[in-house]
Amino acid sequence: MLTVDSVTKYYGKKPAVENISLSLGNGLYGLLAPNGAGKTTLIKMLTTLLKPTSGEILYCGTPIEKLGASYRELIGYLPQQFGYYRGSTPVQYLEYLAALNGMPSKGLREKIESVIGQVGLSDSKKIKMKKFSGGMLQRVGIAQAIMSDPKILILDEPTAGLDPKERVRFRNIISAMSKDRTVILSTHIVSDIESIANRVIMIKDRQIFRDSTVPELSAELEGKVFEASVPDSEYERFEREYFVLSARQEQGSMAVRFYCESPAPYRPAEPNLEDFFLVTYR
Amino acid sequence: MKIFFNEAKKLFRPIIIILLAVFIFIHCKGFLKLNYWPQVGTGNPWDTEVHAEMIEKFGPTLSRDELPALKEFYGALVADFEEEIRKSEVFARNGIDDYEKFCEADNEFLFKDGLTDGEQEIYNELIRYRFDLMPASELHFKLNELENRLLNEIEIGRIFATDETIVTMRDYLDRQNPEAAALLEKKYRADEMSLLTITPQSVVDGDSLNLVIISCIAVFAAVLYMLITDRLRGIYPIALSSKTGRKIFGIQAAVCGLFGLLAGIIVCAVYGAALMSKGAGVFLDCPMDNYYHDMWVKLDYRQYILIKAAAVVIFTGAAGLLSYIIGRFATNYISGLAVSIPVLVALCGAEFFATAHIFRVESAWVYSHFWSSVALPFAITLPICIGVTVAVCLILKRDGKRDIL
Ligand SMILES: Nc1ncnc2c1ncn2[C@@H]1O[C@H](COP(=O)(O)OP(=O)(O)OP(=O)(O)O)[C@@H](O)[C@H]1O
Ligand SMILES: [Mg+2]
């Protein structure tokens, strides 16, 4: 049980996040916010890399600072930008990190083989990482995060650079893992979490804006999202009048999905998380 | 332990070791005085050789009782040389048939202007006997060495002094401060005298600084390369949020310090082997305090070498920690290099001051500031070693309390 208790972080005089309070049990938490909102800052505090300027982070009631190594042992972390040794193979790299995490060497080899299999890199496990593509590297990063079966898995934009097939594979791994552990996944890509997140945490203006489920968030837009087919000639005026969520060019007209506070004379549509994100950070 | 080895493995990468070995080899070929053994400080190989011969005959020191034997040794050399003199037609024609006449001719013609044809002939022959590579010049060099280093010094009372001979040194002694004067007089009156000559000692003196320079550069290069590369690769976020956490920095500091010590030990061991292969082994038991080198402590050549080696190792260890400090804060290779250069110069300079004069009672200035010759090296060495260690400890301590990334 991870508790974030009114945490504020300043970089110098500039606040990055303010008065964040969260309570995180088992399950998958999607940390959803646009660029520069403070996702990475919050995550770095959760992983003990940064100290909160004020406030506290507690694990089972004890400040994580006091727990030290016994807390860090529990976390698996994929940084937004993660480092690796160009000249080493994924197996060597994971062995190195396993040592840092104090994992017993007994059964380590099998464990490494299995996580490498999980992220679909079995064929490349003997290749030096400098020959890897961006997506392959990202998968090594995911492998190192889940390698130690962490109680708390913290992933900062884990799907960056993954192709659709790998995204699905990743989602399945994470979704299965989140049953009996805390998974925190930061992203600004809605589809990464829409189908798997138990809760979505949104940060706006440096503060927690929402902490609820996907259906709850979508429901907030009930009756406010519409679809319409707008002739090309009227599109400009339409765009000024309504907040367009998406538009697709069709013959002679635009198929538009848009947001409107008050009831509008158009076909109502089923709101989704992406709509909520766009409307929130309009 | 495993983590320690993992960090060490990054420093002991084959490519780094090979590059360092090549660098050290080139540096040694270019800068070491040992390459010019046995004629460093003397200009010919026989000065060192005649001392080695004497050590084989008399042992590491010459005692007052052995003075007749020394004269005999000298006499035998003179006899051999006279035999060579008699082989020369030019000398025969001019009536030069013994060492005494050779020396007279030497004194007369060597610096004389406007030589006649006949004199020119003698002059050329003299030069040939003195400097050409032939048995005669070898004997002449050895004779010269014995005269200059021993016999003349005995005559003026700097070696095996008696109440009569010490008188010539009295003026000199009176100019020193009382402690130094007492020390020197005791030495002049001693019954034993070291047979160590210039070359073995000046080679070790010059090269110990050289070895510090090479190994410190090597240590800096390897450590900075590793630390800055780690930082640029962004390996730290994962490492620091692992169970090991910020202890990784302490482990790295230890690895760097040990790497420095090890580099120093290897360089010294290789150098020591090379030094012995040149024939320095005969001098090992000779006291360092000899006819041209006044020391305030009793050390033999072996101990002197070991102390110099220890200094090299201590300084390379300090270099390991210093480069760790720089590597922790340098955010790229250029800034790392820029900070390293002055630090390296200062470190090597400190080593020079700390060890070059540490045991010597050398110049008038040092005599009159006898204790400062001891205090100075310590004033330099101690702060460096303590300062570097404390700095590393403070940095590591602070790591626990601050944002790391
Ligand atoms: N080291 C730093 N020093 C100063 N300001 C920083 C630092 N790191 C981040 N910031 C600022 O803090 C705010 C939050 O940054 P953060 O990296 O947490 O955002 P993010 O949500 O992770 O963004 P992204 O989606 O682009 O990764 C930004 O305004 C950023 O400019
Ligand atoms: Mg970020």
Side-chain angles (χ1 to χ4, degrees):
Chain A
M1 185 69 171
L2 201 53
T3 316
V4 180
D5 184 12
S6 21
V7 160
T8 297
K9 179 70 196 174
Y10 277 74
Y11 288 113
K13 286 212 169 86
K14 191 172 152 271
V17 290
E18 280 176 313
N19 205 20
I20 302 270
S21 292
L22 291 168
S23 167
L24 310 166
N26 284 349
L28 195 148
Y29 294 83
L31 193 54
L32 186 65
N35 292 141
K39 301 184 294 294
T40 300
T41 305
L42 179 58
I43 280 179
K44 281 183 177 169
M45 288 190 287
L46 290 173
T47 51
T48 73
L49 298 177
L50 294 182
K51 262 180 81 127
T53 310
S54 69
E56 257 186 331
I57 299 171
L58 309 140
Y59 179 72
C60 297
T62 318
I64 57 173
E65 226 174 294
K66 278 215 187 100
L67 291 170
S70 56
Y71 169 71
R72 286 192 303 267
E73 194 179 8
L74 300 176
I75 59 180
Y77 172 41
L78 172 63
Q80 190 166 2
Q81 277 121 14
F82 83 98
Y84 60 95
Y85 292 104
R86 290 170 52 78
S88 58
T89 66
V91 174
Q92 289 167 336
Y93 177 64
L94 293 184
E95 279 173 348
Y96 172 71
L97 295 177
L100 286 180
N101 232 333
M103 288 171 66
S105 43
K106 192 161 160 277
L108 182 62
R109 207 62 208 212
E110 294 74 42
K111 184 77 223 171
I112 288 176
E113 298 279 335
S114 107
V115 285
I116 286 183
Q118 265 181 292
V119 296
L121 285 176
S122 294
D123 296 339
S124 330
K125 69 184 176 205
K126 297 245 161 70
I127 300 177
K128 288 189 173 173
M129 285 165 73
K130 65 179 161 203
K131 294 183 181 157
F132 275 24
S133 72
M136 287 162 90
L137 285 174
Q138 192 68 10
R139 278 141 70 191
V140 177
I142 294 166
Q144 65 81 21
I146 62 175
M147 170 173 61
S148 62
D149 278 327
K151 285 298 292 171
I152 304 164
L153 181 58
I154 302 174
L155 307 159
D156 200 349
E157 304 200 13
T159 53
L162 296 190
D163 65 26
K165 189 175 123 245
E166 289 305 329
R167 262 165 213 256
V168 170
R169 193 210 290 265
F170 166 76
R171 248 177 259 160
N172 293 340
I173 298 174
I174 297 305
S175 181
M177 286 186 82
S178 67
K179 261 193 225 93
D180 52 356
R181 65 196 87 209
T182 309
V183 179
I184 300 159
L185 191 161
S186 102
T187 187
H188 42 72
I189 301 168
V190 176
S191 60
D192 277 352
I193 53 168
E194 188 161 29
S195 56
I196 55 168
N198 299 86
R199 288 191 88 79
V200 176
I201 297 160
M202 296 176 83
I203 303 174
K204 191 182 177 186
D205 298 329
R206 301 185 294 277
Q207 306 204 339
I208 299 288
F209 175 68
R210 284 288 188 281
D211 175 8
S212 57
T213 62
V214 178
E216 278 169 7
L217 292 174
S218 308
E220 286 190 39
L221 295 188
E222 203 65 64
K224 293 179 180 171
V225 178
F226 303 88
E227 278 173 348
S229 186
V230 184
D232 279 352
S233 52
E234 288 178 39
Y235 182 69
E236 245 179 67
R237 181 193 60 80
F238 187 87
E239 209 183 8
R240 256 178 275 131
E241 201 165 327
Y242 301 106
F243 178 57
V244 174
L245 298 166
S246 71
R248 189 175 71 249
Q249 181 76 50
E250 283 176 345
Q251 263 151 10
S253 65
M254 297 285 269
V256 187
R257 186 183 169 87
F258 65 97
Y259 169 80
C260 180
E261 294 271 357
S262 47
Y266 295 99
R267 186 167 9 106
E270 188 75 21
N272 59 28
L273 187 58
E274 174 138 359
D275 298 335
F276 189 80
F277 182 88
L278 289 173
V279 170
T280 304
Y281 302 108
R282 175 161 35 156
Chain B
M1 211 56 207
K2 185 137 188 232
I3 303 165
F4 181 88
F5 282 119
N6 274 334
E7 295 307 310
K9 244 195 286 181
K10 291 191 227 160
L11 260 183
F12 293 89
R13 296 228 322 267
I15 180 75
I16 295 184
I17 304 293
I18 291 169
L19 283 178
L20 291 186
V22 169
F23 163 76
I24 290 174
F25 182 79
I26 292 171
H27 185 106
C28 287
K29 280 287 155 202
F31 294 99
L32 282 192
K33 281 187 160 185
L34 186 62
N35 296 330
Y36 306 101
W37 180 283
Q39 43 195 333
V40 180
T42 65
N44 71 73
W46 296 294
D47 292 357
T48 307
E49 202 176 300
V50 73
H51 281 270
E53 281 168 17
M54 280 193 291
I55 289 170
E56 266 164 35
K57 202 168 162 57
F58 302 109
T61 58
L62 188 73
S63 67
R64 226 181 256 267
D65 314 336
E66 285 168 323
L67 215 48
L70 176 69
K71 296 251 165 73
E72 206 174 287
F73 179 79
Y74 174 75
L77 281 176
V78 171
D80 287 350
F81 187 59
E82 287 180 335
E83 209 158 290
E84 293 292 329
I85 292 175
R86 282 189 283 275
K87 283 181 189 162
S88 159
E89 279 176 33
V90 179
F91 287 151
R93 252 187 277 125
N94 291 282
I96 300 171
D97 56 2
D98 62 15
Y99 183 48
E100 209 180 326
K101 290 191 184 123
F102 179 92
C103 292
E104 275 167 18
D106 202 34
N107 282 338
E108 188 179 348
F109 298 124
L110 212 53
F111 299 106
K112 188 174 166 188
D113 290 329
L115 295 170
T116 65
D117 284 355
E119 286 170 345
Q120 185 68 45
E121 194 186 30
I122 299 174
Y123 173 84
N124 290 346
E125 191 71 347
L126 282 169
I127 293 293
R128 203 165 74 83
Y129 263 65
R130 288 191 54 162
F131 299 113
D132 274 13
L133 284 180
M134 54 190 263
S137 48
E138 176 183 336
L139 288 166
H140 187 263
F141 272 120
K142 287 181 175 176
L143 285 171
N144 255 340
E145 177 70 6
L146 282 184
E147 289 158 7
N148 295 339
R149 302 289 178 215
L150 295 175
L151 301 174
N152 294 353
E153 300 283 303
I154 290 171
E155 205 161 300
I156 62 165
R158 221 175 0 208
I159 298 174
F160 301 147
T162 60
D163 289 338
E164 294 88 65
T165 57
I166 195 83
V167 179
T168 45
M169 295 307 297
R170 186 57 64 197
D171 264 4
Y172 177 72
L173 289 175
D174 286 346
R175 285 201 299 275
Q176 315 308 328
N177 78 19
E179 285 123 329
L183 212 66
L184 290 174
E185 184 164 349
K186 188 159 167 250
K187 172 181 166 172
Y188 298 157
R189 286 177 179 278
D191 289 329
E192 295 224 276
M193 206 274 307
S194 172
L195 283 175
L196 183 72
T197 181
I198 299 174
T199 303
Q201 184 247 327
S202 85
V203 162
V204 168
D205 269 355
D207 286 349
S208 67
L209 176 63
N210 248 315
L211 295 182
V212 165
I213 295 173
I214 325 167
S215 11
C216 285
I217 294 177
V219 167
F220 264 67
V223 167
L224 285 177
Y225 177 77
M226 168 184 114
L227 289 175
I228 298 177
T229 304
D230 260 15
R231 170 182 292 255
L232 291 180
R233 278 186 182 141
I235 205 73
Y236 288 125
I238 296 177
L240 294 168
S241 58
S242 70
K243 185 181 179 189
T244 311
R246 297 175 191 202
K247 270 192 224 138
I248 186 96
F249 289 131
I251 294 169
Q252 284 185 338
V255 168
C256 295
L258 287 178
F259 179 77
L261 291 178
L262 193 69
I265 290 170
I266 291 173
V267 163
C268 288
V270 172
Y271 181 82
L275 184 67
M276 291 307 127
S277 79
K278 294 272 190 174
V282 243
F283 298 101
L284 285 179
D285 291 322
C286 296
M288 287 301 292
D289 195 20
N290 62 1
Y291 49 81
Y292 69 95
H293 184 200
D294 302 318
M295 308 245 304
W296 56 272
V297 281
K298 266 193 171 352
L299 287 177
D300 60 31
Y301 185 52
R302 176 185 288 107
Q303 291 163 331
Y304 191 71
I305 293 177
L306 289 177
I307 287 172
K308 288 273 180 182
V312 172
V313 173
I314 289 172
F315 270 84
T316 50
L321 289 181
L322 263 178
S323 51
Y324 170 78
I325 295 177
I326 296 173
R328 270 300 299 283
F329 297 106
T331 47
N332 59 57
Y333 297 108
I334 302 295
S335 63
L337 188 70
V339 179
S340 298
I341 289 170
V343 172
L344 267 173
V345 170
L347 191 67
C348 295
E351 202 277 346
F352 175 72
F353 279 110
T355 65
H357 300 282
I358 187 164
F359 305 119
R360 280 171 106 151
V361 182
E362 205 173 35
S363 60
W365 181 83
V366 177
Y367 281 132
S368 58
H369 300 80
F370 181 69
W371 286 109
S372 61
S373 70
V374 186
L376 183 71
F378 282 107
I380 295 164
T381 316
L382 278 183
I384 287 183
C385 293
I386 296 174
V388 170
T389 314
V390 167
V392 169
C393 291
L394 283 180
I395 290 167
L396 291 176
K397 191 149 186 264
R398 200 174 143 256
D399 281 343
K401 294 196 185 142
R402 69 187 182 109
D403 292 347
I404 214 79
L405 293 163

